[in-house]
């Protein structure tokens, strides 16, 4: 009985990892975290070819530019680092959360931004607010002499003055950029709390952004897979057509 031949899947390399990666599509309920942005793995991605290595990358993280100029730090470009510059972790200057994966870094200023924060949209729309929210790179309370602290209108937590905010100037309404506006759906507090603040429905912007990212990732991954297969076939043809060397002893 003939044995089955192993399936040869195209593989690629990425400077963030020592082993080759292959195309991988996550399934609902996998609960896999991207090793780059440290967010849930959605749609097409890359996985380490080694069985005992749990290294995964979103397609979008695989293709991140090595350097970017960002409005939040206009004096210097930010360089993509595949590991924290200060040891095991860093603190993101956009959302204030820790990170241990990829970061956009300014070594001169020790300024770091999660790759998942670096490309968030400049405006978002929440169903519980009448106006679009605009991304600003510090809270409206920064520099106030009275020591006032800005409070997120979704979770009602105090915010450091240097954190990024999605903000409506007309209503003096603002939210965290990470947990309350973009990546995670915020669940309203039971009972509404005093004064009715802090409730709000789940952010539709989050769902729309996830769906868009999923569609883009799937299309880009399919294109990359086709390109890899074409390059492999071209290399085989070139090898076949190459004149055979003659050796004499």
């Amino acid at each position: 009985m003939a044995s089955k031949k192993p399936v040869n899947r195209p593989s690629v390399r990425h400077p963030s990892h020592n082993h080759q990666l292959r195309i991988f599509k996550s399934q609902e309920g996998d609960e896999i975290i991207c090793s780059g942005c440290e967010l849930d793995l959605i749609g097409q991605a890359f996985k380490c070819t080694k069985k005992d290595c749990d290294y995964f990358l979103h397609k979008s993280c695989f293709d991140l530019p090595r350097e970017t100029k960002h409005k939040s730090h206009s004096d210097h470009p930010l360089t993509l680092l595949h590991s924290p510059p200060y040891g095991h972790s860093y603190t993101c200057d956009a959302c204030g959360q820790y990170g241990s994966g990829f970061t956009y870094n300014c070594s001169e200023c020790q300024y770091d931004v999660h790759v998942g924060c670096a490309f968030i949209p400049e405006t978002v729309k929440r169903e519980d607010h009448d106006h679009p929210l605009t991304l600003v790179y510090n809270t409206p309370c920064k520099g106030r002499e009275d020591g006032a602290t800005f409070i997120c209108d979704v979770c009602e937590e105090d915010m450091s003055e240097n954190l990024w905010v999605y903000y409506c100037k007309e209503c003096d309404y603002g939210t965290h950029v990470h947990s309350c506006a973009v990546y995670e759906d915020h669940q309203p507090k039971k009972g509404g709390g005093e004064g009715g603040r802090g409730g709000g429905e789940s952010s539709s912007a989050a769902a729309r952004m996830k769906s868009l990212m999923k569609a883009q990732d799937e299309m880009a991954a399919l294109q990359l897979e086709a390109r890899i297969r074409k390059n492999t076939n071209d290399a085989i043809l070139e090898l076949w057509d190459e004149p055979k060397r003659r050796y004499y002893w």
Side-chain angles (χ1 to χ4, degrees):
M1 182 176 179
S3 61
K4 293 183 179 180
K5 293 182 179 180
V7 178
N8 291 324
R9 297 181 179 179
S11 60
V12 292
R13 287 196 175 275
H14 192 268
S16 65
H17 194 60
N18 292 330
H19 308 142
Q20 290 186 330
L21 307 177
R22 63 175 175 83
I23 292 173
F24 173 83
K25 185 174 181 179
S26 63
Q27 303 296 325
E28 186 175 352
D30 280 348
E31 297 184 356
I32 299 173
I33 300 299
C34 174
S35 302
C37 65
E38 301 177 279
L39 299 175
D40 290 339
L41 205 68
I42 301 174
Q44 291 285 358
F46 290 93
K47 178 187 185 301
C48 182
T49 55
K50 300 291 184 181
K51 292 183 178 180
D52 56 347
C53 185
D54 294 327
Y55 192 86
F56 296 85
L57 276 183
H58 283 117
K59 174 65 171 61
S60 55
C61 292
F62 184 94
D63 289 331
L64 284 170
R66 294 183 179 181
E67 188 175 273
T68 184
K69 293 182 179 179
H70 202 277
K71 292 181 179 179
S72 68
H73 195 72
S74 57
D75 290 341
H76 310 115
L78 302 180
T79 302
L80 177 64
L81 302 181
H82 298 132
S83 59
Y86 319 111
H88 296 292
S89 65
Y90 65 92
T91 301
C92 176
D93 288 289
C95 67
Q97 301 295 318
Y98 289 109
S100 58
F102 293 3
T103 177
Y104 275 110
N105 166 267
C106 173
S107 59
E108 184 173 344
C109 302
Q110 293 190 339
Y111 182 84
D112 293 275
V113 176
H114 286 128
V115 296
C117 293
F119 301 106
I120 59 177
E122 294 189 354
T123 60
V124 296
K125 185 70 175 70
R126 287 185 59 90
E127 292 181 355
D128 57 359
H129 193 74
D130 293 335
H131 311 121
L133 305 182
T134 301
L135 180 63
V136 293
Y137 300 115
N138 51 65
T139 72
C141 291
K142 183 175 182 178
R144 286 184 53 162
E145 296 180 355
D146 59 4
T149 301
F150 190 81
I151 298 175
C152 174
D153 285 281
V154 174
C155 67
E156 298 186 347
E157 292 184 0
D158 293 354
M159 295 183 63
S160 169
E161 65 176 15
N162 291 316
L163 292 182
W164 299 3
V165 182
Y166 275 121
Y167 185 64
C168 174
K169 186 176 181 180
E170 182 176 348
C171 303
D172 190 26
Y173 175 98
T175 75
H176 287 97
V177 296
H178 185 71
S179 57
C180 299
V182 179
Y183 299 118
E184 299 173 7
D185 294 338
H186 183 81
Q187 297 297 327
K189 295 180 180 179
K190 295 181 179 180
E194 296 182 2
R197 291 190 56 173
E201 301 175 12
S202 298
S203 171
S204 62
R208 287 197 299 269
M209 189 174 191
K210 287 179 179 179
S211 297
L212 179 61
M213 287 179 61
K214 182 177 180 180
Q216 291 175 335
D217 286 352
E218 289 179 352
M219 181 173 293
L222 288 172
Q223 291 173 344
L224 180 63
E225 182 176 15
R227 189 163 65 248
I228 292 171
R229 291 188 184 279
K230 181 179 183 301
N231 292 342
T232 302
N233 291 336
D234 290 345
I236 293 172
L237 289 174
E238 289 175 5
L239 182 62
W240 181 265
D241 293 336
E242 184 180 354
K244 303 297 186 292
R245 295 180 181 272
R246 295 183 178 181
Y247 296 90
Y248 299 92
W249 289 271

